[in-house]
Amino acid sequence: MKNILFALFTTLFLASCQNTPTEDSTNDSSDQKNVATPPASSLDSINELLSNDELNAKKLALRAKVYLRANNVNAARIDIGKAYVIDSNLAVVYEARGEMSYLLNKGRAAQKDWEKCIKIDPKNSNCLLSLTELYITVQEYEKALKMVNRQLEIDDKDPQAYFMKGIIIRDFKQDTGLALQYFQNAVDLKQDYIEALDMLGVTLANRGDTLAPFYYKRILDQQPQRWDVYYKLGAYYMNKNEENRALEAFTKATQINPADAESYYSMGYIHLTLRQFAKARDLFTQSINARERNYKAYYGRGYSHEMLGDIINAKKDYQRAIKALPQYTPAVEALERISK
């Protein structure tokens, strides 16, 4: 049984190390910033300013940025085009055009625009940080480090810059300890910095640090409906063999998000370790109901059936697991075992 549980646990542990639970997941991030329409106050105020100054390139570029936040690319493109014709040597025009290119997944074009922005205005924080983010995304860490250090020379109290530098140090220098210091700097400067709090929680949880729940709970104090944070909290407690706390957190996650297949799976795994096979079977079923393409839940339910003496249904679930992921060795071996 130890080998079988290890196969289940390995899959679960890898999932818990991610920033969000995923397996063909289509859930949107809870901190997505795009909105359906531009903020009325911002758009109205800029429109009012433009009504008497229709050829103001800076105001056109600023309105374009508002449109981009609303995913209204067509309106933004018109304003950016007008602004560029009026004044092609204005940093904010390249700032806005870079944002549009980035939104359209045109990274090289965005890079050129933001570099031009910085050439015109070397202290443009938006372009420096945008370039930092772009370089992190394409794993050009030396360039990213150069950009973020320039921003910190301009403003050594910028929480976003510290957060980005932490990511660079973690991924480029492989120095988790130093990265944690930068994430903490970001939180010290901005107490409600959700992304930094989350990164602190995830990083500390991966190290087995007892401070991880503290940061997760700080997020939940601000955003109590963050089911994904409850999942991470549950995964932390489970890795610490604190089953009751883990079950409590996973249960809360599923109450907020009944489609949270990972939390159901995790609870099923815990009940397997407790040899409560009927309860485990039911929880794996809930995980499958939440996400049908779910090879590990089929495997877990198959093993639960097997332990309950239901070989027919065990065989069916092992076959379903293999169909979902043909190279999933534990299910292949289980099917061979019960077919002898």
Side-chain angles (χ1 to χ4, degrees):
M1 180 173 176
K2 288 183 179 179
N3 290 336
I4 294 168
L5 290 180
F6 177 76
L8 286 162
F9 176 76
T10 301
T11 307
L12 176 63
F13 178 76
L14 291 173
S16 73
C17 290
Q18 306 300 317
N19 278 350
T20 54
T22 59
E23 182 193 313
D24 303 312
S25 175
T26 57
N27 292 309
D28 293 333
S29 170
S30 61
D31 56 7
Q32 184 175 342
K33 296 179 182 178
N34 293 329
V35 291
T37 57
S41 57
S42 299
L43 187 58
D44 290 347
S45 60
I46 295 175
N47 282 338
E48 185 176 350
L49 291 171
L50 278 167
S51 63
N52 297 318
D53 194 5
E54 296 180 2
L55 299 181
N56 188 303
K58 180 178 180 180
K59 293 173 185 176
L60 285 166
L62 290 175
R63 186 169 68 178
K65 286 166 63 68
V66 175
Y67 282 132
L68 288 172
R69 286 199 298 271
N71 277 331
N72 191 342
V73 177
N74 289 333
R77 182 183 285 112
I78 292 170
D79 277 353
I80 291 170
K82 289 180 180 177
Y84 183 81
V85 170
I86 295 167
D87 190 347
S88 62
N89 197 38
L90 195 63
V92 70
V93 173
Y94 292 96
E95 178 185 330
R97 196 164 75 168
E99 290 181 18
M100 181 176 68
S101 295
Y102 195 61
L103 186 64
L104 295 172
N105 293 318
K106 297 179 179 180
R108 190 174 297 277
Q111 177 184 339
K112 289 180 179 179
D113 282 325
W114 288 329
E115 286 175 347
K116 179 69 173 179
C117 167
I118 293 170
K119 186 176 181 180
I120 297 170
D121 179 9
K123 293 187 177 182
N124 188 300
S125 295
N126 289 333
C127 290
L128 285 168
L129 289 176
S130 294
L131 265 177
T132 301
E133 181 181 351
L134 175 62
Y135 288 140
I136 290 173
T137 301
V138 299
Q139 298 183 359
E140 293 188 35
Y141 295 118
E142 288 188 9
K143 292 181 179 179
L145 188 59
K146 181 180 178 181
M147 290 296 108
V148 79
N149 282 339
R150 283 180 61 176
Q151 172 58 19
L152 286 170
E153 288 174 3
I154 296 167
D155 182 3
D156 64 357
K157 296 291 190 292
D158 186 334
Q160 187 178 2
Y162 282 110
F163 175 69
M164 289 184 172
K165 188 165 184 177
I167 293 174
I168 297 166
I169 296 300
R170 181 197 64 184
D171 296 343
F172 179 41
K173 301 294 187 180
Q174 303 294 308
D175 190 338
T176 305
L178 183 57
L180 283 168
Q181 293 180 34
Y182 286 115
F183 296 144
Q184 186 62 58
N185 286 343
V187 170
D188 289 342
L189 290 165
K190 185 180 179 184
Q191 298 292 314
D192 61 348
Y193 199 157
I194 298 297
E195 293 87 350
L197 288 168
D198 188 49
M199 191 62 71
L200 280 163
V202 169
T203 306
L204 290 168
N206 290 342
R207 290 159 63 103
D209 195 300
T210 56
L211 278 175
F214 168 75
Y215 291 102
Y216 288 146
K217 289 173 182 177
R218 281 185 62 178
I219 297 173
L220 293 170
D221 286 342
Q222 300 175 59
Q223 299 179 353
Q225 298 303 304
R226 284 287 299 271
W227 62 270
D228 59 309
V229 177
Y230 277 110
Y231 168 80
K232 294 172 190 176
L233 188 59
Y236 167 82
Y237 285 131
M238 191 173 69
N239 291 334
K240 288 289 189 179
N241 296 317
E242 298 184 42
E243 288 87 358
N244 289 335
R245 285 185 170 182
L247 289 170
E248 181 180 352
F250 289 136
T251 299
K252 184 66 176 178
T254 59
Q255 288 172 345
I256 298 171
N257 178 22
D260 179 14
E262 294 294 341
S263 287
Y264 284 123
Y265 173 82
S266 302
M267 288 191 283
Y269 171 81
I270 291 174
H271 283 88
L272 270 189
T273 65
L274 299 173
R275 303 188 66 83
Q276 297 175 0
F277 300 118
K279 181 64 174 176
R281 176 199 61 203
D282 294 343
L283 287 162
F284 287 131
T285 297
Q286 288 180 278
S287 180
I288 293 165
N289 290 339
R291 187 179 62 241
E292 185 176 358
R293 191 171 180 271
N294 197 335
Y295 70 91
K296 57 187 179 180
Y298 279 121
Y299 174 72
R301 190 172 70 175
Y303 183 71
S304 301
H305 284 310
E306 185 180 351
M307 292 297 99
L308 291 167
D310 187 350
I311 302 303
I312 293 176
N313 280 315
K315 184 176 181 179
K316 289 179 181 178
D317 276 336
Y318 290 144
Q319 290 172 333
R320 290 179 179 123
I322 295 169
K323 182 178 180 180
L325 187 67
Q327 66 270 34
Y328 190 47
T329 303
V332 174
E333 293 176 346
L335 190 59
E336 290 175 352
R337 182 180 64 250
I338 66 173
S339 297
K340 291 180 179 179

